[in-house]
Amino acid sequence: MTTAPPVPPASYWPDNGSEQPSSSTPPGWAMWIMATAAVVAVIGGGLIAVRNAGSQPPAASPLDTGSQVEPPASPPSGHLSPDPTLDRSTGPTDDPAEPSASPTVTSTFPPLQDVPEVCDLLPESLIARFAPKTASGPGVAKDGYGAKRKDCEWKPKGYDMKGGYNQTRSISVKVNVFPDHEKAMRNAESDWRLMRYLSGRSEGDPPILKYGEIREISGLGDGAHAIYSEGTRRREAVAWIYVVRGNASIEIRFRGSDDKGRTMFPNEDSRPVPEVELLEGVEEIAGEVVKNLAG
């Protein structure tokens, strides 16, 4: 409630209050009283406006379409190279983790029910020619990823000296048996795709590993590919072949180096076995494996 300003005393008026002057100027204290009353009215009106504004929902502001930020586009799917030291920008065109769908394939070779003892698949006569002074022993392969798996390794156990160099050779054979031929082929495709990617490439700068061209090998089964690699520091060469025959796959690595002196460990003084010799050897080894698997 607003209090009315006090009434001026009678002495204020010229006739002791009987008549108000029409044009006289009020004294300073009266002007102060009127100014105060005006301020009180203004403040009161402002408080009422603020209270009313607080009880109403805020008005919606127009959208500022010019300040909207578009969501970022999804990054393109890339391909990781098989080795982290390689340039990822030149990876394979097919993603090894997601092989493209292919029609159902069949094989004329009878399926295997189990994996035989892999160390029994190569005769001593063949080992004596390709990996003398070695001894065989089962590897570390375990069943998994939908396949039964076994492997065997023939590792150097002595010296085969010729002309001051020890001819160091080793062989590893791994056999996988899948539920059907289609799964065996699908598994092989990832390895063949890796071979195609590595074909003709070098790893490292300067190169520490060089690959030859991938080769398709016929007459071993439903499909077979091989590739050669050679180390430039650790002077050892490897021929790697991957074969599919029915519901089985065979993976073989044939390693070789001529090491200077009585050592079994390749180094910068070693001589890697030439490509032709290793590839011919690994193809013959693979032929012996598939023959004994069929028998």
Side-chain angles (χ1 to χ4, degrees):
M1 180 178 65
T2 304
T3 304
V7 178
S11 60
Y12 165 73
W13 310 106
D15 57 354
N16 288 328
S18 62
E19 184 179 357
Q20 296 183 11
S22 58
S23 61
S24 60
T25 302
W29 63 266
M31 295 181 66
W32 176 85
I33 290 174
M34 291 185 289
T36 301
V39 171
V40 171
V42 171
I43 293 176
L47 291 174
I48 293 173
V50 170
R51 183 183 62 184
N52 291 338
S55 63
Q56 299 295 327
S61 59
L63 294 176
D64 182 10
T65 56
S67 61
Q68 290 181 346
V69 179
E70 293 294 332
S74 300
S77 59
H79 303 285
L80 300 182
S81 62
D83 190 284
T85 62
L86 299 180
D87 181 9
R88 298 174 185 269
S89 64
T90 57
T93 56
D94 294 323
D95 190 345
E98 298 180 2
S100 57
S102 58
T104 302
V105 291
T106 58
S107 174
T108 59
F109 298 101
L112 295 179
Q113 301 302 319
D114 207 346
V115 185
E117 292 303 321
V118 179
C119 291
D120 297 336
L121 295 177
L122 295 180
E124 289 296 329
S125 57
L126 182 142
I127 296 298
R129 288 194 297 118
F130 288 114
K133 306 294 184 180
T134 63
S136 65
V140 297
K142 302 292 183 183
D143 294 351
Y145 298 97
K148 299 177 180 179
R149 307 173 189 271
K150 287 183 182 179
D151 64 341
C152 185
E153 298 179 73
W154 286 260
K155 295 181 179 180
K157 296 296 181 181
Y159 299 104
D160 184 23
M161 302 297 298
K162 290 185 180 179
Y165 285 84
N166 178 35
Q167 298 191 10
T168 305
R169 305 289 187 271
S170 65
I171 300 170
S172 65
V173 179
K174 183 178 181 181
V175 178
N176 313 297
V177 173
F178 293 87
D180 53 50
H181 172 63
E182 186 175 0
K183 288 183 173 62
M185 286 295 292
R186 189 182 307 159
N187 187 79
E189 278 296 339
S190 64
D191 285 83
W192 292 336
R193 192 156 48 232
L194 175 59
M195 286 184 181
R196 288 191 291 269
Y197 172 72
L198 295 173
S199 180
R201 294 179 63 95
S202 296
E203 291 186 21
D205 186 16
I208 60 173
L209 193 61
K210 297 180 179 179
Y211 291 90
E213 299 294 331
I214 185 174
R215 298 192 181 188
E216 184 173 5
I217 311 298
S218 60
L220 294 176
D222 297 296
H225 291 81
I227 195 170
Y228 170 91
S229 63
E230 177 184 317
T232 60
R233 294 180 186 173
R234 191 171 180 264
R235 306 275 292 162
E236 180 185 46
V238 182
W240 170 30
I241 191 170
Y242 201 100
V243 182
V244 174
R245 183 183 177 92
N247 66 327
S249 65
I250 302 102
E251 184 175 6
I252 301 171
R253 283 179 169 85
F254 182 26
R255 303 174 183 271
S257 62
D258 294 341
D259 304 323
K260 190 174 183 179
R262 294 180 66 83
T263 179
M264 300 178 189
F265 303 99
N267 53 48
E268 64 275 7
D269 295 324
S270 299
R271 300 181 305 202
V273 177
E275 181 174 4
V276 172
E277 182 179 341
L278 271 193
L279 286 175
E280 289 180 351
V282 79
E283 183 177 350
E284 186 173 341
I285 294 168
E288 192 71 26
V289 169
V290 298
K291 181 181 74 173
N292 292 325
L293 276 176

